[in-house]
């Protein structure tokens, strides 16, 4: 059976932080992945110290699953990436509860 999991992040320029663009992009990605592509899970993450990304992902239902050493693409520093995962069933349950 083929994997029904995908991943991919976003990068918002610091001058545009705080306007909701990240959340809007994540919500569109989640809906497209689960409704249109029929995926069963999404893997994402955030770099150590990026509390805004952590909080946003938590609000959207992502849960922490691992910590891995990684190199930050933006500035080349060695850091920790906190890997997160969202299951379609959990996302659907959240949608039903919010109605």
């Amino acid at each position: 059976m083929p994997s029904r999991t995908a991943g991919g992040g976003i990068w918002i320029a610091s001058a545009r932080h705080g306007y909701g663009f990240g959340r809007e992009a994540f919500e569109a990605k989640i809906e497209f992945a689960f409704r249109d592509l029929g995926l069963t899970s999404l893997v994402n993450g955030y770099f150590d110290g990026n509390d805004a990304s952590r909080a946003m992902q938590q609000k959207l239902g992502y849960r922490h699953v691992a910590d891995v050493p990684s190199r930050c693409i933006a500035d080349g520093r060695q850091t920790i990436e906190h890997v997160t995962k969202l299951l379609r069933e959990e996302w659907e349950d959240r949608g039903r509860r919010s109605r």
Side-chain angles (χ1 to χ4, degrees):
M1 174 180 234
S3 174
R4 303 300 300 165
T5 299
I10 60 168
W11 197 274
I12 305 294
S14 59
R16 299 292 180 234
H17 288 185
Y19 292 97
F21 298 132
R23 184 176 179 119
E24 182 179 345
F26 257 78
E27 288 172 339
K29 176 180 81 168
I30 292 167
E31 189 164 333
F32 178 71
F34 291 153
R35 290 205 176 131
D36 297 336
L37 298 179
L39 299 181
T40 58
S41 63
L42 289 172
V43 176
N44 208 76
Y46 58 91
F47 290 118
D48 204 40
N50 190 342
D51 295 331
S53 183
R54 176 193 49 77
M56 179 197 60
Q57 289 181 50
Q58 285 179 335
K59 287 178 187 173
L60 292 172
Y62 281 83
R63 59 186 166 76
H64 179 262
V65 295
D67 294 321
V68 295
S70 185
R71 184 166 304 283
C72 180
I73 295 168
D75 61 15
R77 68 186 159 94
Q78 191 67 29
T79 187
I80 300 295
E81 182 175 4
H82 304 283
V83 180
T84 59
K85 188 171 190 176
L86 178 63
L87 300 177
R88 182 172 62 199
E89 309 89 61
E90 294 171 354
W91 175 74
E92 290 170 340
D93 287 346
R94 290 171 58 87
R96 282 191 284 275
R97 286 194 310 263
S98 67
R99 292 182 198 140

